[in-house]
Amino acid sequence: MATTLDWVKSLRADIRGDCGKGWNLRGREVGGKMVMQIDRNDENGRSTLLTNIGWRKDNKRNILNAIVEIKDFMYHNGDSLKEAYKKFSNQSEYAPVIKGQLKGWAANKKAFLDSRSNRRSTTLYDLTKRVELACRFLEKSPKPQNAKDLFLRIKEEYFDVAPPHKGSKKKLKNPEGGDGRKRNCGDIKSFLNYCVEKKLVNANLWTAPSSDWLQEEIIKTKDSEEYQSKVPIKSNELVQLLEEIENKGNLNLWLAVGLVGCFGLRPAELGALSVENGRLFVGTTVKRNKHKLKKNDKPKAPEMVVAVDPIGLEGLGDRLVQLYAKGTIKLPLGVLRAIEKRGDNETYKPIGRAFGQLLKRQKSWKKLNLNRSENEQLDPYSLRHGFAYRCHVEMENPISATEVAGFMRHDTNTHNDVYANYIDNDQKERSRDRLVGKLNQ
């Protein structure tokens, strides 16, 4: 009897130290087993609860952990003793196991997915995979301490995982700035906030971080010019690409690729084109950020753009403008839908992404990247970089950076940092030939 009293006294002292006063625990016999009864006294009065937690010396540590977690639910979520114990029973690893009962994050996952059961099957499939990813990390030792810790762990151990072996051409499944990383973060954020809203978890620990924090620390979106691929598509490659797309009969994509390539457009600017007196103009709202859009700042008038055609397809730019103005050939359906969905105060980025997705699916595009190293891969923005490359390198009389920056509608610093510093062997050969030619004059 004395031994029992000793461990009970020790337990009560530990609870007073970790949880404060007002917690009175005792054992009660139910069905031939000793279980714990909790008597709680606080400013709201007295409450009593009979649990199914075993009341015995070898269970002392689990009893202490149970009271600490129950106290956290009551303190952070404002739950009653009964509500807090129910959540503890469903979630905690220290709660007694009931056959067939889901506990912890597994129970939260089921509740969340059940609340989204009216989604399309494909949407629900993707959502399930992303929530399962979060739960895998939530239950993995050492366990994340809070929501930010969870996202950082997923980034370091899943998003940023290196290819399987050195020299592998396999790319990261969810690279920085990619839609996959953004969607994973969005769905995991919704899952955590659902659990907080339903008071299934401690709100102070598991409220999802802000979108700005996720963007900065986890997603690291690369939509701005300075983060886009700096590898230009060269004239012969652009000619080959356009010819193969046209021969395949995909004239809508041919028009879009030609406009972006010949005029050096940002892909998103396909949603802001107009034609006046045979000249192509681009709206100036494409590059405005969300802050400026919300402030309803008046944009500048549309700016005229000029074509610098790839060598071998001279006159293509003027032809494309005529076809676009007459509506003889329209932009691809995916791009048109993205344009239609854009609201007055919405970003143009989905338009650029829609164009990029269509282009990347083409065999002719994949063929251009087939023998390129990972650092030399082309992406849709390479069409815009190709415009600068033609102006600076491929033209017989190269144009100054200041003039090309004006053509491309950005400042000279941006142009020099991003567009005018690509050097490869072809460029070195051309520069050498020009230098030799001048010396021999």
Side-chain angles (χ1 to χ4, degrees), residues 287-297 345:
K287 283 289 290 177
R288 295 200 303 162
N289 58 36
K290 288 184 178 180
H291 176 68
K292 289 184 177 180
L293 287 169
K294 287 179 180 178
K295 285 178 64 178
N296 290 318
D297 292 347
N345 289 329

Side-chain angles (χ1 to χ4, degrees), residues 23-285:
W23 296 90
N24 186 24
L25 310 181
R26 67 184 70 191
R28 291 281 301 274
E29 184 176 351
V30 177
K33 295 182 179 180
M34 292 298 291
V35 294
M36 178 177 67
Q37 177 178 306
I38 305 173
D39 295 317
R40 172 67 178 148
N41 291 296
D42 57 20
E43 64 274 9
N44 296 320
R46 183 173 182 271
S47 52
T48 299
L49 181 74
L50 186 66
T51 74
N52 63 346
I53 299 173
W55 181 257
R56 58 185 187 274
K57 180 181 178 180
D58 64 353
N59 203 37
K60 176 185 170 184
R61 176 54 54 187
N62 285 341
I63 293 173
L64 176 60
N65 288 328
I67 297 302
V68 170
E69 292 193 13
I70 291 169
K71 186 261 308 185
D72 284 344
F73 280 120
M74 295 178 69
Y75 179 78
H76 294 296
N77 294 346
D79 294 333
S80 67
L81 177 60
K82 183 177 179 180
E83 291 169 337
Y85 178 69
K86 182 178 179 181
K87 291 176 182 177
F88 162 80
S89 299
N90 288 335
Q91 298 178 38
S92 177
E93 62 184 288
Y94 301 111
V97 177
I98 300 175
K99 187 176 181 180
Q101 179 189 29
L102 292 174
K103 292 171 56 177
W105 290 106
N108 296 343
K109 179 186 76 173
K110 183 179 185 305
F112 173 70
L113 294 175
D114 286 346
S115 73
R116 303 293 196 275
S117 59
N118 60 344
R119 303 293 197 273
R120 290 184 303 174
S121 58
T122 52
T123 302
L124 192 58
Y125 173 82
D126 291 336
L127 181 63
T128 301
K129 300 291 281 187
R130 291 162 189 156
V131 175
E132 285 176 348
L133 170 68
C135 289
R136 190 162 77 241
F137 277 89
L138 286 163
E139 295 167 353
K140 180 180 179 182
S141 296
K143 294 183 179 179
Q145 298 301 305
N146 52 49
K148 285 186 177 180
D149 192 19
L150 169 65
F151 278 106
L152 289 170
R153 289 274 302 279
I154 292 175
K155 176 183 180 296
E156 293 166 3
E157 299 178 29
Y158 181 73
F159 290 155
D160 292 347
V161 172
H165 57 271
K166 188 174 181 180
S168 171
K169 292 186 178 180
K170 185 176 180 181
K171 298 180 181 179
L172 294 179
K173 188 174 182 181
N174 295 286
E176 289 185 354
D179 286 343
R181 185 175 295 210
K182 187 174 182 179
R183 288 170 182 154
N184 269 282
C185 288
D187 284 343
I188 293 171
K189 178 179 179 179
S190 297
F191 169 55
L192 293 177
N193 286 341
Y194 170 87
C195 294
V196 169
E197 180 186 342
K198 298 299 180 181
K199 297 184 177 181
L200 301 175
V201 294
N202 185 330
N204 285 357
L205 297 177
W206 297 110
T207 298
S210 68
S211 297
D212 288 342
W213 185 89
L214 288 171
Q215 199 90 339
E216 183 70 25
E217 300 295 333
I218 310 298
I219 301 171
K220 297 182 179 292
T221 299
K222 298 184 177 182
D223 284 315
S224 59
E225 289 186 21
E226 59 266 27
Y227 288 114
Q228 300 296 338
S229 167
K230 296 183 180 181
V231 180
I233 186 170
K234 298 174 182 177
S235 279
N236 63 310
E237 294 172 322
L238 181 55
V239 170
Q240 176 186 332
L241 176 66
L242 287 168
E243 287 180 348
E244 291 186 11
I245 292 175
E246 184 179 20
N247 292 338
K248 192 178 177 182
N250 193 347
L251 297 182
N252 308 98
L253 184 60
W254 172 80
L255 174 69
V257 172
L259 288 171
V260 173
C262 291
F263 290 87
L265 303 178
R266 302 174 182 94
E269 288 177 332
L270 288 170
L273 300 179
S274 60
V275 178
E276 186 177 338
N277 297 325
R279 299 291 185 183
L280 188 65
F281 288 79
V282 174
T284 58
T285 58

